Amino acid sequence: MTRQRRVILEEIRRFDGHPTADEVYEAVRKRLPRISMSTIYRDLEALCEWGKIQVLEVGCSKKHFDADTNNHYHARCIRCGRVTNLPVQPFTYLEQAFRDLCDYKVIGHRLELIGLCPDCLKQQKEKQRQAATEPVEADKKG
Amino acid sequence: MTRQRRVILEEIRRFDGHPTADEVYEAVRKRLPRISMSTIYRDLEALCEWGKIQVLEVGCSKKHFDADTNNHYHARCIRCGRVTNLPVQPFTYLEQAFRDLCDYKVIGHRLELIGLCPDCLKQQKEKQRQAATEPVEADKKG
DNA sequence: CTAGATGCAAATTCTTTGCGGTCAA
DNA sequence: TTGACCGCAAAGAATTTGCATCTAG
């Protein structure tokens, strides 16, 4: 357990929500300015293998990292990509139900809620209010 | 609706499971050998916008495409990445339940089963059988 | 001391974009 | 005819890898 890995783990634990690799990088860089992105990726992988963190493969493109390795569900903001926990125990009965319905060997399941996070919801309402007040520019056609 | 788009749509519909962009490319290329990857991506996007197909953001890294645009659940093979349908109606009550539990504006939800597809399961069993028969090489330590 | 970890840069993988030529409506 | 579309090549974004150096145990 090197200095870098310790700091990475601490920053993931401290993070509000579940950071992506570059969010981890930005946070860690404040304490270890010379750390490189490849170290971030390599150490994230190592921490996963040691069971210290888990990867959240929510949505596509970017991976998120979570210091809580217990199974739990997440909500994902469709606008900013933020990922937060859902305060419920996973429904394990779902897996048993699906075992009878498909020919896969079931290992686990993932459930994610798609929506707008409070911040983005606020911004969206703000925009709608502005749109209702201002003259309608979009209707000008020529 | 161009020739390319028609063929792309047909090949997605014909595909056993839900192809990734490069799987679509390989399938389409047999009928339109000069088609390019950028056309595949652009046409997949157009078909999505027209509601002819949907993107499945299962797991990470690669997008999968699905000619069935109704909401439904999927199973994903952890080994080969294959994605197949689960024969159940989505549990809409989950969204209502989660509305009371988080401060997101809930738009939808995704549920995916993680496991081994029949093919990979077969291969894994094959390997295990071999391992049980052969001398244990991994135990040689020096 | 030494195996393994680090930092840097270059390579990979998946996806998107710019551009000149082409095709369907 | 002409605006949308195509193929090609090059750019981007996220992640991985090769390699020389360094460091924790």
Side-chain angles (χ1 to χ4, degrees), chain A residues 121 123-133, chain B residues 105:
Chain A
L121 184 56
Q123 285 185 32
Q124 187 185 269
K125 282 183 178 169
E126 190 66 32
K127 274 194 179 174
Q128 287 177 351
R129 202 177 314 139
Q130 285 179 11
T133 313
Chain B
K105 178 181 181 184

Side-chain angles (χ1 to χ4, degrees), chain A residues 4-53:
Chain A
Q4 286 87 337
R5 292 183 183 180
R6 206 174 310 116
V7 174
I8 288 173
L9 185 52
E10 283 170 16
E11 291 302 324
I12 295 174
R13 285 184 175 150
R14 173 191 315 226
F15 203 90
D16 175 28
H18 306 312
T20 58
D22 53 298
E23 286 169 334
V24 174
Y25 178 59
E26 288 308 323
V28 171
R29 211 145 67 113
K30 287 172 187 157
R31 297 170 58 188
L32 305 174
R34 293 186 50 75
I35 201 168
S36 74
M37 200 62 197
S38 54
T39 301
I40 299 287
Y41 277 110
R42 269 190 287 235
D43 290 355
L44 286 172
E45 196 185 340
L47 290 168
C48 280
E49 279 172 12
W50 299 349
K52 297 287 187 181
I53 62 173

Side-chain angles (χ1 to χ4, degrees), chain B residues 1 21 37-38 41-42 61-63:
Chain B
M1 177 62 86
M37 203 62 199
S38 54
Y41 276 109
R42 268 191 287 238
S61 68
K62 286 185 178 179
K63 290 174 185 165

Side-chain angles (χ1 to χ4, degrees), chain B residues 112-141:
Chain B
E112 91 183 30
L113 213 59
I114 313 295
L116 284 173
C117 72
D119 288 356
C120 289
L121 183 57
K122 197 182 296 177
Q123 283 184 33
Q124 186 184 270
K125 283 184 178 170
E126 190 66 32
K127 273 193 181 176
Q128 287 177 349
R129 202 176 314 138
Q130 285 178 10
T133 314
E134 286 173 14
V136 188
E137 297 233 38
D139 274 1
K140 287 197 285 189
K141 270 189 178 171

